[in-house]
Amino acid sequence: MTQRTTVIDLASFQSGLTVANYKAIGAEYAIVKISESTNYTNPYIRSLIDLSAAGGIKGYAFYHFGRFHNDAQAVAEANYFINAAKARANVKPGTLMILDAEIQGMPTSSVIAFLDTLRAAGYHTGFYTYKYLLPNFDLEAIHPHMDMFWLASYPLRNGMAADKNPDFNYFPSANYVDLWQYTDNLLGYRVDGSITITDNAIKLFNPSSAPAPAPQKPIEQEKPAIKPTLPAHSWVDDLGVRWFAEQGTFTSTTDLHLRWGATPSSSVIGVLNAGDVVKYDAWARTNGFVYVRQPRPNGQYGYVAVRDAATGEAYGTFK
């Protein structure tokens, strides 16, 4: 019988977690975001690995958020993923490398091209998507090209804290599922939680120690990792929303409202058009979106929704 094991996935949104937080969560395996498209590398890779390893994580896999719409772009993103993983986490061939497929209009042939590029470089391959997006893909065609299938479907509403025992009455029936992501807020720590369905899910995680950094030049698009220093690094505002300090730049790829508060009903300051840039100093997940905070004159702030919290789809790019 397969042993049910908790797996968490880590991106910049979890950069504020401490060693004590990881110990309280009690997971043994983690999947770390490496990259997105061909112009973003997670600036917290090293600190996420170091802190989670100190907090009890003993095996890692890695993922890339795909934004391609054709085979050539898929191959380019796969190579970017490979190069970033080598440079920032010394990821070796044989490691499980996963495609996060959440955007509309991603062809099955391009998913296969991405996975085949990883496999040709010597990596185990994984495919991740949401249950509601499965009709967009030919899973039977993808299956021979993936070593692990990770499927997301949440029994509880987004943001509601879940424990480590999901209700299997809500298991998303689909073929080949190895790992089920069932919550975006495991134990209230705002970290995605998954549970193993097959033994295959865990045997592919690279074992024992966390990867050591390679002595290579950092990728130019990446900013230096910022070590979390709670409590100064995060805080809870008057509305009960937890914010995480992060210096960054967001470039919109669509029209968005800049508001006086981090709610859809807050007064509008102005409209961001595609290509407009916002420098931000903090982010939070609230009201169904990920918001960033823009410092403004006289100690005031503007807020803009930069990502759908349910699907993870971003409304622009980050640096």
Side-chain angles (χ1 to χ4, degrees), residues 3-64:
Q3 181 179 352
R4 302 298 183 205
T5 303
T6 300
V7 179
I8 57 176
D9 51 290
L10 304 173
S12 61
F13 303 128
Q14 286 75 46
S15 61
L17 292 177
T18 64
V19 171
N21 294 151
Y22 286 113
K23 289 181 177 179
I25 293 169
E28 296 183 347
Y29 300 92
I31 305 171
V32 179
K33 180 175 181 177
I34 293 289
S35 51
E36 183 171 330
S37 187
T38 55
N39 59 7
Y40 173 80
T41 302
N42 176 10
Y44 298 99
I45 295 168
R46 191 68 249 162
S47 60
L48 287 168
I49 291 172
D50 291 344
L51 291 170
S52 63
I57 297 296
K58 65 180 184 181
Y60 293 85
F62 302 91
Y63 78 92
H64 170 90

Side-chain angles (χ1 to χ4, degrees), residues 250-254 273-277:
F250 169 76
T251 302
S252 175
T253 54
T254 187
N273 298 312
D276 286 348
V277 175

Side-chain angles (χ1 to χ4, degrees), residues 10-283:
L10 304 173
S12 61
F13 303 128
Q14 286 75 46
S15 61
L17 292 177
T18 64
V19 171
N21 294 151
Y22 286 113
K23 289 181 177 179
I25 293 169
E28 296 183 347
Y29 300 92
I31 305 171
V32 179
K33 180 175 181 177
I34 293 289
S35 51
E36 183 171 330
S37 187
T38 55
N39 59 7
Y40 173 80
T41 302
N42 176 10
Y44 298 99
I45 295 168
R46 191 68 249 162
S47 60
L48 287 168
I49 291 172
D50 291 344
L51 291 170
S52 63
I57 297 296
K58 65 180 184 181
Y60 293 85
F62 302 91
Y63 78 92
H64 170 90
F65 190 101
R67 291 200 170 277
F68 49 82
H69 292 94
N70 58 62
D71 294 7
Q73 189 179 359
V75 172
E77 289 197 25
N79 285 320
Y80 183 85
F81 180 26
I82 292 167
N83 291 334
K86 288 179 178 178
R88 303 308 301 160
N90 197 27
V91 176
K92 303 292 188 182
T95 302
L96 177 59
M97 302 272 275
I98 300 167
L99 169 63
D100 182 343
E102 299 182 31
I103 68 168
Q104 298 291 337
M106 181 178 286
T108 291
S109 65
S110 301
V111 169
I112 292 171
F114 185 99
L115 297 176
D116 283 353
T117 302
L118 297 181
R119 195 171 267 180
Y123 296 96
H124 288 298
T125 57
F127 177 60
Y128 166 94
T129 193
Y130 282 84
K131 174 66 183 293
Y132 76 91
L133 290 174
L134 268 183
N136 296 350
F137 302 103
D138 184 345
L139 186 61
E140 293 300 323
I142 294 170
H143 178 241
H145 304 267
M146 65 181 179
D147 298 306
M148 194 273 280
F149 183 31
W150 181 21
L151 187 62
S153 181
Y154 300 162
L156 303 176
R157 70 175 184 269
N158 293 323
M160 178 178 286
D163 62 25
K164 295 166 73 173
N165 298 292
D167 186 348
F168 273 83
N169 290 316
Y170 292 91
F171 178 74
S173 298
N175 291 333
Y176 314 121
V177 179
D178 294 300
L179 188 64
W180 173 27
Q181 186 186 85
Y182 64 91
T183 179
D184 66 349
N185 190 12
L186 182 62
L187 300 177
Y189 284 95
R190 301 292 177 181
V191 60
D192 295 341
S194 300
I195 194 163
T196 57
I197 304 302
T198 68
D199 294 330
N200 182 54
I202 287 304
K203 75 179 184 181
L204 291 174
F205 281 67
N206 63 309
S208 64
S209 61
Q216 300 183 30
K217 180 181 178 181
I219 292 175
E220 292 181 358
Q221 290 90 346
E222 184 177 70
K223 60 188 177 184
I226 301 172
K227 293 291 185 179
T229 55
L230 290 176
H233 189 76
S234 72
W235 65 94
V236 176
D237 66 15
D238 293 340
L239 299 178
V241 177
R242 179 168 291 279
W243 288 87
F244 296 91
E246 177 179 294
Q247 299 292 328
T249 300
F250 169 76
T251 302
S252 175
T253 54
T254 187
D255 294 343
L256 296 170
H257 285 117
L258 181 67
R259 301 180 182 272
W260 284 116
T263 70
S265 60
S266 297
S267 299
V268 175
I269 299 173
V271 176
L272 300 178
N273 298 312
D276 286 348
V277 175
V278 171
K279 292 185 177 181
Y280 62 90
D281 68 353
W283 66 270

